[in-house]
Amino acid sequence: EPEVTQTPSHQVTQMGQEVILRCVPISNHLYFYWYRQILGQKVEFLVSFYNNEISEKSEIFDDQFSVERPDGSNFTLKIRSTKLEDSAMYFCASRPTSVLDEQYFGPGTRLTVT
Amino acid sequence: EDQVTQSPEALRLQEGESSSLNCSYTVSGLRGLFWYRQDPGKGPEFLFTLYSAGEEKEKERLKATLTKKESFLHITAPKPEDSATYLCAVKGFGNEKLTFGTGTRLTIIP
């Protein structure tokens, strides 16, 4: 069964450093998403991406964040200058078509900012 | 602003003891309500989508129902492997985002 994959599984970085989190969505899916979950809290929406552009973003997704689909398979989230409060699990998700609404999530990348 | 409230926060059941989890929501135009299962340290695993009041979906020991204000996830004769956090999420018309609740942590005791 096709799955969303994410790398790395755990990333440790120092405050102020740039990080790139990588995702390979399910093949043939058209809509891509990033969410985050701070330990013990809700899963929170960050951004959605369709047809090579951002279709929706939350207030969390400020100028420090960017997304890119550099080729036909990868989808990345970049945080330019990490803060302590960026420490969280980051989940990538994908959705197949405009008709089906369910989003399929990857296993997550645990980001620890020290 | 879309809001999702789940109750109880945690539930411990004996194996075979059936129960229900609640998800109350407010959204301006419900496109869909979703149930996910999340194991510790893992990503949410899709279970069900419900679109309109009165709709029901079933999968093994789980059945999800929907009204205009809430959804229930009924667990019949649960097994220890059903232990997980169950998340409810909503999507409004015109939105891409899912708005999640805090989840119900379910523990099934053998």
Side-chain angles (χ1 to χ4, degrees), chain B residues 9-15 17 21 75 78-86 104-110:
Chain B
E9 287 186 14
L11 182 62
R12 290 171 63 90
L13 300 172
Q14 293 289 328
E15 184 172 0
E17 181 185 0
L21 314 182
I75 302 174
K79 299 182 178 181
E81 53 262 42
D82 295 321
S83 297
T85 295
Y86 290 85
T104 294
R105 188 172 66 254
L106 177 66
T107 305
I108 308 300
I109 304 159

Side-chain angles (χ1 to χ4, degrees), chain A residues 31 33 35 37 41-45 48 55-56 89 91 95 98-108 110, chain B residues 3-4 31-32 34 36 38 41-46 48-49 51 87 91 94-102:
Chain A
Y31 298 80
Y33 308 85
Y35 290 80
Q37 186 175 31
Q41 297 188 23
K42 296 181 184 185
V43 176
E44 300 175 289
F45 170 78
S48 62
S55 50
E56 187 176 339
M89 279 287 279
F91 296 110
R95 175 163 80 91
S98 59
V99 174
L100 296 172
D101 290 279
E102 48 263 27
Q103 297 175 19
Y104 295 88
F105 285 74
R110 179 170 299 284
Chain B
Q3 289 193 335
V4 176
R31 165 70 181 175
F34 307 85
Y36 286 85
Q38 187 176 31
K42 303 286 180 63
E45 176 189 345
F46 170 73
F48 304 109
T49 307
Y51 287 105
L87 304 176
K91 179 180 176 180
N95 291 341
E96 282 296 330
K97 68 177 181 183
L98 299 183
T99 299
F100 282 85
T102 51

Side-chain angles (χ1 to χ4, degrees), chain A residues 31-80:
Chain A
Y31 298 80
F32 313 112
Y33 308 85
W34 284 101
Y35 290 80
R36 78 173 185 191
Q37 186 175 31
I38 295 170
L39 188 63
Q41 297 188 23
K42 296 181 184 185
V43 176
E44 300 175 289
F45 170 78
L46 294 178
V47 66
S48 62
F49 192 84
Y50 170 70
N51 201 24
N52 282 320
E53 59 182 27
I54 291 173
S55 50
E56 187 176 339
K57 61 182 181 179
S58 72
E59 297 134 358
I60 303 167
F61 194 88
D62 61 21
D63 292 343
Q64 292 299 311
F65 292 88
S66 62
V67 290
E68 193 178 32
R69 187 155 164 83
D71 53 44
S73 59
N74 291 283
F75 180 50
T76 62
L77 174 70
K78 183 193 289 186
I79 309 175
R80 286 188 182 77

Side-chain angles (χ1 to χ4, degrees), chain B residues 20-110:
Chain B
S20 297
L21 314 182
N22 178 263
C23 169
S24 299
Y25 65 90
T26 55
V27 61
S28 54
L30 180 69
R31 165 70 181 175
L33 183 140
F34 307 85
W35 283 98
Y36 286 85
R37 168 188 171 131
Q38 187 176 31
D39 292 304
K42 303 286 180 63
E45 176 189 345
F46 170 73
L47 294 173
F48 304 109
T49 307
L50 300 166
Y51 287 105
S52 56
E55 189 174 1
E56 298 183 354
K57 294 270 180 77
E58 281 190 69
K59 180 180 179 179
E60 296 182 358
R61 295 176 292 282
L62 300 177
K63 183 168 82 171
T65 62
L66 181 64
T67 72
K68 288 187 178 178
K69 292 183 179 180
E70 57 192 350
S71 177
F72 292 94
L73 185 66
H74 307 279
I75 302 174
T76 302
K79 299 182 178 181
E81 53 262 42
D82 295 321
S83 297
T85 295
Y86 290 85
L87 304 176
C88 175
V90 296
K91 179 180 176 180
F93 277 107
N95 291 341
E96 282 296 330
K97 68 177 181 183
L98 299 183
T99 299
F100 282 85
T102 51
T104 294
R105 188 172 66 254
L106 177 66
T107 305
I108 308 300
I109 304 159

